[in-house]
């Protein structure tokens, strides 16, 4: 039992070390080589644009369910569904927007990144890149990392917007809260710091998703089964790390008054 | 041109290459023979810097390449080598034409306007028509994949080509076509070739020199004629492809 715990810890440390080394290589190649614009734009479309629909839908319904729960709960306590706009927007921009968008992007685009790079690793395409004078970090990893870091915050902005719209629809049409009241609740009580709190988190989430998914892909061994394991491992790891990171980022940002 | 001295490579507890000593002469074809899992691919991956060696030296024109730690210098070294992968390792997200010219972008200063001409020229060199350039790798047969992969190697005009089991998985006729291609390329371009194989027919046809790798050491090095005449029971058994002999006995002991 001690042996298996030890092996597990060693394996985790090995992966953390490998990911850190990959990040170091990213920084090295980012400044020393021509930037892969075409690859980066392609990956931004794959990761960002193609995730827009699913993140928008998720946020719309999250906003709707938040409004419904908040309206019914507050209504049963105070008689009227007050501050629904505040509650929905506050929850979305600080927590649910960044976290849910990151989870959805990790499941959709992160898995695809690991599977693609993993398949390239097991079919020797990564080795072929080396032999053709191309560092895979420069050609494969950096464009994907940049794509994650550039698109996830933008997706989160839209997610927040769709969530607020979802909350608005439920408030106005199901809870009979006047639209102006819903919007005034938002503008009066939610300020720029709340928005920044969530927005800053997305950059860290994006960097983490990019690092884990690319590293899992590059370190894939063992054919089709290995690709499957890496992909599952990448999604599980990123989802867990999003939640863990969220707690620590919340604590740090709050300590800085954001 | 290439001197391998006391090369060692271990994976954990496993000593794949124990003490490999080998000279690869310039402009000649050297075949490295050995059974499955004997470390042939490991050896050429060490040569091109895809694997870090555990000990020994690899001298290319007198310079020990195992001492190169800079990624930029390693990339410059790889400019001189071409590697034909066993399964081709074509980039499946690109067309055949894009695969062929991939290395040009990173290894050479050839302007993009010259790419169509180079695609046509290199595909012709490996016996393929120009219209293949538009296809995706998934639309190619095994033999065509290897030839496209070879065209990709040739596009960057390397001094040394490493062939990793070029005839494995191909029918006898296609194997012979690939063997002829290797001979043609040596004659036309004067490249130094290192061929990893266990296809004896192909080895005898293409090799100027043959090295037999067994249990992490070079057991015999010589001309094809030396291999035909050898009394070494290990080499003899491998050359004749017999299931009876010391190699089989060794396997049974394990």
């Amino acid at each position: 039992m001690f042996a298996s715990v030890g092996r597990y810890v060693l394996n985790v440390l090995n992966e953390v070390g490998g990911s850190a080394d990959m990040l170091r290589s990213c920084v090295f190649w980012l400044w020393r080589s021509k930037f892969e614009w075409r690859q980066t734009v392609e990956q931004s479309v794959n990761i960002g644009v193609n995730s827009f629909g699913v993140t928008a839908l998720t946020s719309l319904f999250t906003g709707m369910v938040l409004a419904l729960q908040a309206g019914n709960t507050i209504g049963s306590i105070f008689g009227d569904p007050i501050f629904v706009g505040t509650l929905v927007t506050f929850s979305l921009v600080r927590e649910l927007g960044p976290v849910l968008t990151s989870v959805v992007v990790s499941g959709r685009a992160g898995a695809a990144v690991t599977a693609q790079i993993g398949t390239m690793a097991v079919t020797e395409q990564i080795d072929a890149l080396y032999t053709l004078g191309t560092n895979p970090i420069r050609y494969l990893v950096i464009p994907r990392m940049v794509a994650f870091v550039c698109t996830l915050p933008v997706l989160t902005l839209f997610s927040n917007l769709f969530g607020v719209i979802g909350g608005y629809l439920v408030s106005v049409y199901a809870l009979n809260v006047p639209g102006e009241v819903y919007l005034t609740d938002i503008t009066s009580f939610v300020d720029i710091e709340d928005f920044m709190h969530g927005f800053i988190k997305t950059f860290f989430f994006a960097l983490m998703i990019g690092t884990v998914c690319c590293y899992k892909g590059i370190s894939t061994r063992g054919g089709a089964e290995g690709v499957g394991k890496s992909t599952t491992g990448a999604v599980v790891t990123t989802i867990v790390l999003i939640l863990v990171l969220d707690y620590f980022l919340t604590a740090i940002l709050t300590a800085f008054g954001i | 041109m290439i001197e391998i001295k006391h090369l060692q490579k271990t994976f954990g507890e496993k000593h794949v290459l124990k003490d490999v000593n080998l000279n690869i002469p310039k402009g000649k074809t050297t075949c490295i023979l050995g059974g499955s899992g004997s470390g042939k691919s490991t050896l050429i991956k060490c040569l091109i810097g895809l694997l870090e060696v555990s000990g020994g030296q690899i001298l290319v024109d007198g310079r020990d390449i195992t001492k190169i730690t800079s990624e930029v210098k390693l990339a410059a070294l790889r400019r001189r080598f071409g590697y034909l992968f066993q399964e081709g390792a074509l980039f499946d997200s690109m067309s055949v034409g894009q695969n062929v010219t991939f290395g040009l972008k990173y290894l050479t200063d050839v302007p993009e306007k010259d790419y169509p001409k180079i695609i046509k020229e290199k595909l012709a060199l490996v016996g393929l028509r120009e219209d293949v350039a538009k296809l995706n790798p998934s639309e190619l047969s095994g033999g065509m994949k290897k030839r496209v992969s070879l065209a990709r190697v040739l596009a960057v005009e390397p001094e040394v080509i490493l062939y990793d089991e070029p005839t494995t998985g191909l029918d006898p006729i296609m194997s012979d076509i690939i063997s002829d291609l290797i001979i043609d390329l040596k004659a036309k371009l004067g490249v130094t070739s290192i061929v990893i194989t266990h296809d004896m027919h192909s080895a005898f046809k293409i090799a100027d020199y043959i090295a037999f790798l067994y249990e992490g050491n070079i057991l015999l090095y010589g001309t094809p004629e030396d291999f035909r005449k050898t009394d070494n029971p290990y080499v003899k058994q491998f050359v004749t492809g017999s299931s009876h002999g010391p190699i089989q006995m060794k396997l049974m002991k394990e």
Side-chain angles (χ1 to χ4, degrees):
Chain A
M1 191 217 166
F2 283 117
S4 54
V5 170
R7 261 196 302 275
Y8 179 77
V9 171
L10 273 177
N11 193 29
V12 169
L13 289 176
N14 192 29
E15 294 212 341
V16 171
S19 304
D21 192 45
M22 194 188 75
L23 263 180
R24 179 201 62 79
S25 285
C26 282
V27 175
F28 175 88
W29 283 106
L30 196 58
W31 304 118
R32 280 174 181 77
S33 62
K34 208 172 73 178
F35 190 69
E36 295 284 347
W37 283 106
R38 194 187 289 180
Q39 280 284 315
T40 308
V41 171
E42 262 177 38
Q43 290 308 319
S44 298
V45 171
N46 284 341
I47 292 166
V49 179
N50 293 347
S51 300
F52 181 79
V54 67
T55 51
L57 201 66
T58 310
S59 305
L60 184 78
F61 279 95
T62 306
M64 286 167 75
V65 81
L66 274 175
L68 201 59
Q69 291 281 17
N72 287 335
T73 312
I74 295 169
S76 66
I77 299 168
F78 297 106
D80 279 321
I82 51 170
F83 300 125
V84 175
T86 313
L87 233 150
V88 168
T89 311
F90 195 77
S91 311
L92 276 169
V93 298
R94 285 184 75 94
E95 289 298 334
L96 290 174
V99 169
L100 281 179
T101 309
S102 301
V103 167
V104 170
V105 168
S106 155
R108 205 203 73 83
V113 162
T114 308
Q116 193 195 10
I117 299 181
T119 305
M120 289 184 76
V122 297
T123 54
E124 294 187 306
Q125 290 179 55
I126 303 257
D127 283 347
L129 280 175
Y130 274 118
T131 63
L132 292 166
T134 310
N135 188 291
I137 300 290
R138 182 180 78 180
Y139 186 75
L140 296 174
V141 177
I142 292 177
R144 284 162 177 79
M145 295 280 264
V146 172
F148 273 116
V149 172
C150 291
T151 59
L152 191 61
V154 179
L155 279 174
T156 306
L157 289 181
F158 280 105
S159 289
N160 290 341
L161 182 67
F162 277 94
V164 172
I165 291 170
Y168 179 90
L169 293 174
V170 170
S171 297
V172 173
Y173 297 107
L175 303 171
N176 297 319
V177 175
E180 299 80 36
V181 174
Y182 180 86
L183 294 174
T184 312
D185 281 348
I186 298 173
T187 50
S188 307
F189 296 101
V190 182
D191 51 31
I192 193 74
E193 275 82 15
D194 296 316
F195 167 76
M196 286 309 291
H197 180 95
F199 192 65
I200 290 169
K201 285 178 182 177
T202 59
F203 288 95
F204 290 93
F205 292 159
L207 199 63
M208 184 277 293
I209 296 170
T211 307
V212 171
C213 293
C214 290
Y215 177 73
K216 286 276 188 187
I218 271 199
S219 57
T220 301
R221 299 287 178 271
E225 194 190 351
V227 175
K229 276 183 185 168
S230 289
T231 309
T232 312
V235 174
V236 172
T237 309
T238 47
I239 290 175
V240 171
L241 284 181
I242 287 167
L243 300 174
V244 173
L245 208 57
D246 187 42
Y247 172 79
F248 289 104
L249 286 172
T250 302
I252 294 165
L253 290 170
T254 308
F256 280 101
I258 301 170
Chain B
M1 184 191 188
I2 302 170
E3 284 177 81
I4 301 168
K5 291 182 175 178
H6 307 294
L7 189 70
Q8 295 165 31
K9 177 66 191 171
T10 55
F11 293 101
E13 299 288 303
K14 198 177 174 196
H15 295 269
V16 177
L17 302 176
K18 289 174 186 163
D19 184 23
V20 174
N21 293 284
L22 186 63
N23 280 342
I24 311 285
K26 194 171 183 169
K28 302 285 181 193
T29 299
T30 305
C31 279
I32 298 169
L33 296 179
S36 302
S38 61
K40 307 184 297 293
S41 296
T42 303
L43 176 60
I44 56 166
K45 282 187 175 171
C46 287
L47 270 180
I48 202 168
L50 286 176
L51 289 175
E52 229 172 276
V53 305
S54 309
Q57 292 180 307
I58 299 170
L59 304 171
V60 177
D61 292 335
R63 186 179 176 207
D64 186 3
I65 62 166
T66 62
K67 298 283 184 287
I68 300 175
T69 49
S70 152
E71 292 185 64
V72 178
K73 283 181 184 169
L74 207 55
L77 168 84
R78 288 183 184 133
R79 166 76 181 83
R80 302 178 63 189
F81 288 82
Y83 193 117
L84 179 74
F85 288 87
Q86 199 172 333
E87 304 294 334
L90 294 173
F91 304 124
D92 43 24
S93 58
M94 298 175 197
S95 69
V96 164
Q98 287 169 321
N99 265 283
V100 172
T101 55
F102 187 88
L104 294 175
K105 188 178 165 190
Y106 298 97
L107 293 170
T108 68
D109 300 322
V110 175
E112 268 191 54
K113 67 177 173 56
D114 292 345
Y115 286 7
K117 196 184 88 188
I118 293 170
I119 293 170
K120 188 180 173 184
E121 188 187 310
K122 302 304 172 190
L123 286 178
L125 209 55
V126 295
L128 291 172
R129 287 198 314 270
E130 193 188 357
D131 50 10
V132 172
K134 295 186 192 100
L135 300 176
N136 284 321
S138 58
E139 297 172 84
L140 306 176
S141 67
M144 281 170 92
K145 274 183 190 167
K146 290 210 176 169
R147 285 193 277 169
V148 170
S149 187
L150 189 53
R152 182 174 70 181
V153 169
L154 295 172
V156 294
E157 296 176 351
E159 294 166 48
V160 184
I161 302 180
L162 309 169
Y163 298 86
D164 190 355
E165 305 204 9
T167 58
T168 299
L170 302 179
D171 64 66
I173 298 166
M174 186 51 73
S175 294
D176 208 46
I177 290 171
I178 297 283
S179 299
D180 286 341
L181 254 177
I182 297 171
I183 296 167
D184 276 357
L185 292 174
K186 189 185 76 170
K188 282 182 192 163
L189 310 173
V191 289
T192 304
S193 305
I194 302 170
V195 185
I196 296 295
T197 188
H198 39 59
D199 177 349
M200 289 313 304
H201 177 75
S202 170
F204 280 135
K205 186 171 182 178
I206 63 177
D208 294 303
Y209 298 99
I210 302 178
F212 182 68
L213 187 64
Y214 183 70
E215 293 197 333
N217 298 294
I218 299 291
L219 211 60
L220 183 68
Y221 174 79
T223 62
E225 207 43 42
D226 295 333
F227 271 71
R228 282 195 181 97
K229 289 178 183 165
T230 183
D231 289 329
N232 185 309
Y234 291 89
V235 180
K236 212 170 176 176
Q237 185 192 350
F238 194 85
V239 169
T240 56
S242 169
S243 61
H244 303 287
I247 298 176
Q248 174 67 19
M249 282 164 69
K250 188 84 184 176
L251 284 173
M252 285 171 75
K253 268 186 210 167
E254 283 171 359

